Amino acid sequence: MATLRVSALTLSRKATSIARVQLGFRACYQRTCGRPSASIHHARYSTSSTTIEQPTRAPTIDRAASKLYKDADEAVADLKSGSTILSSGFGLCGVADTLISAIGRRGPDSIHSLTAVSNNAGAPGKGGLSTLTHSGQVNRLIISYLGNNKALEKKYLTGNIAIELCPQGTLAERLRAGGAGIPAFYTATGAHTFLQDGKIPVRLDESGKVLEHGKRRETRVFNKKTYLMETALTGDVAILRAWKADEAGNCVFRYLGP
């Protein structure tokens, strides 16, 4: 058993440096001949009845090296197709637009089939993950709010992207649980709704037929109240916006409101 740390790509607001820092995501991976696999680690996730192995695509990290990069393009050069990206921000605030643009510049031939986890997916022409949904590099979203993004709505309704909707507080807690090594937790949010029954479509075809349903939640009753079991969310890479960062990956944030 070994600890795998997810790398986060962090941009100085003044674009003077790009840093990669360590976040506390823990995963166990299958050893091969007593040593970790040379390229792709295989994470093992256990449930009450099964153990599921799946590849992780997190970039290799040298913890002793500087976390600074000369530019955003270098910082995202080792991202892999099929990765899950955890993207910071609320609306268009706190979004790592410089890094998102750098991923976009790699193009769908270089990096594709991405899953993005965020509060929302930005707005066309204004920023956020809309850059990557428009290019087709992100083909699956886990978000709490679709909003008035009509371009994304059209892609969803015509079967060009999968969207898992998750209540905002639950989404935040699923991410926190993933970082803390907690596999699942119970919440009353969403009980007795389509979310509990898995009736919110995730993917449609061009005719509107449901190709993939939401996941039905396991329920438990505590103190005569129904709770849903929600599973943790982890990612291969996290991108966030900070004011500045140092070589050790420490980030400084500041509020730029009125």
Side-chain angles (χ1 to χ4, degrees), residues 144 165-174 185-197 200 217-220 225-230:
S144 67
L165 291 173
C166 180
Q168 188 176 75
T170 302
L171 182 64
E173 184 63 11
R174 290 178 70 188
F185 60 92
Y186 285 96
T187 176
T189 303
H192 310 296
T193 68
F194 283 172
L195 182 71
Q196 173 181 322
D197 297 331
I200 302 177
R217 267 54 169 186
E218 177 183 320
T219 62
R220 288 282 300 275
K225 188 174 182 179
T226 300
Y227 289 79
L228 310 185
M229 189 183 79
E230 294 284 355

Side-chain angles (χ1 to χ4, degrees), residues 37-72:
S37 171
S39 57
I40 298 179
H41 302 308
H42 289 80
R44 304 183 68 193
Y45 301 93
S46 297
T47 65
S48 58
S49 59
T50 60
T51 298
I52 303 171
E53 293 191 7
Q54 65 182 52
T56 63
R57 298 175 175 84
T60 301
I61 299 298
D62 181 357
R63 298 188 65 185
S66 171
K67 306 303 186 294
L68 299 181
Y69 292 81
K70 65 179 181 180
D71 55 35

Side-chain angles (χ1 to χ4, degrees), residues 17 19-20 34 58 61 75 79 84 96 101-103 105-106 118 131 170 181 184 191-192 199:
S17 62
R20 175 171 290 157
I61 299 298
L79 267 65
T84 296
S101 295
I103 297 171
R105 283 193 295 274
R106 286 187 55 181
S118 191
T131 300
T170 302
H192 310 296
K199 292 183 178 179

Side-chain angles (χ1 to χ4, degrees), residues 112-124:
H112 54 82
S113 305
L114 299 172
T115 295
V117 182
S118 191
N119 176 69
N120 67 308

Side-chain angles (χ1 to χ4, degrees), residues 227-247:
Y227 289 79
L228 310 185
M229 189 183 79
E230 294 284 355
T231 54
L233 272 175
T234 56
D236 300 301
V237 170
I239 57 175
L240 56 94
R241 178 175 179 172
W243 177 46
K244 58 184 178 181
D246 63 17
E247 291 188 354

Side-chain angles (χ1 to χ4, degrees), residues 4 17 26 34 37 57 84 102 121 127-128 151 175 177 191 212 215 222 236:
L4 179 66
S17 62
R26 298 174 62 88
S37 171
R57 298 175 175 84
T84 296
L175 290 166
E212 180 183 349
K215 181 181 178 182
F222 298 98
D236 300 301

